[in-house]
Amino acid sequence: MKKIFVLLTILCVAVFTNITCLAATGPEYDATFNNGKGALYANGRNITITEDETLGTVVTWDGGSQVVPDTVTIFGGGTARTSYEEVKITMESGTVDSIVAGGVSTVENSPANVNNSEIILNGGTVSNKLVGGGYLYSSVDNAKITMNGGTVSCINGGGFASVLRTTSRFRR
């Protein structure tokens, strides 16, 4: 009986807050994002970005990989109504347009949340921007950015547009 009560309480909280708390699911690639430039949503999974001489830029995670164009935006989180505890993005080599610690939501009452996000740049090129928060209606409680190498055009410690909250630390 106690187990059923706890399960029902958790279900009610999820329904009433309109946020789905997800265990890390596999990353997803969306080729249509930003007029065809593409996006990869890590969905709370730790990912590594490298360059393969034949394939180009490759994003890998435990159990999978995705070849991405150099115009891609990498999100640590997901889209509307998602919530992830933590994510780590490590860039060793390759080229991407942007790396965003959080997620993205265009729906005001359906944010994309990440509690703790870490971005480590050891090499490679971020040709546009590195963002410590998320896009639009999103939140990142804590973002840590560490640059050990690589090239970044622009670093924004917080979020873009209507971001709900971000606490970022930058270390070089």
Side-chain angles (χ1 to χ4, degrees):
M1 186 70 173
K2 189 175 183 180
K3 289 180 184 178
I4 293 173
F5 177 74
V6 171
L7 182 61
L8 288 174
T9 302
I10 293 169
L11 181 62
C12 287
V13 169
V15 169
F16 288 115
T17 59
N18 199 26
I19 296 174
T20 306
C21 186
L22 302 170
T25 58
E28 297 176 61
Y29 180 69
D30 176 4
T32 65
F33 181 82
N34 196 12
N35 296 318
K37 291 184 176 182
L40 185 123
Y41 303 97
N43 290 329
R45 293 287 292 267
N46 295 336
I47 60 172
T48 302
I49 304 164
T50 57
E51 185 169 20
D52 179 278
E53 289 180 17
T54 306
L55 302 173
T57 302
V58 180
V59 178
T60 58
W61 58 91
D62 187 22
S65 66
Q66 173 73 47
V67 175
V68 295
D70 61 1
T71 58
V72 73
T73 297
I74 306 288
F75 289 95
T79 57
R81 293 182 303 279
T82 59
S83 184
Y84 299 100
E85 181 59 35
E86 61 185 22
V87 64
K88 182 177 179 181
I89 301 169
T90 305
M91 185 167 191
E92 299 292 344
S93 57
T95 301
V96 298
D97 181 77
S98 301
I99 298 177
V100 180
V104 59
S105 174
T106 58
V107 184
E108 182 175 1
N109 295 318
S110 300
N113 300 317
V114 175
N115 290 338
N116 298 294
S117 186
E118 182 175 9
I119 299 171
I120 301 171
L121 265 69
N122 294 322
T125 301
V126 179
S127 59
N128 192 357
K129 60 192 165 288
L130 190 147
V131 180
Y135 280 5
L136 303 172
Y137 299 102
S138 65
S139 71
V140 175
D141 289 338
N142 296 292
K144 180 180 177 183
I145 299 169
T146 304
M147 284 193 65
N148 299 318
T151 303
V152 177
S153 180
C154 171
I155 297 176
N156 179 12
F160 267 50
S162 299
V163 71
L164 302 174
R165 69 182 178 276
T166 300
T167 305
S168 297
R169 294 179 304 177
F170 174 73
R171 186 183 78 163
R172 180 158 176 101

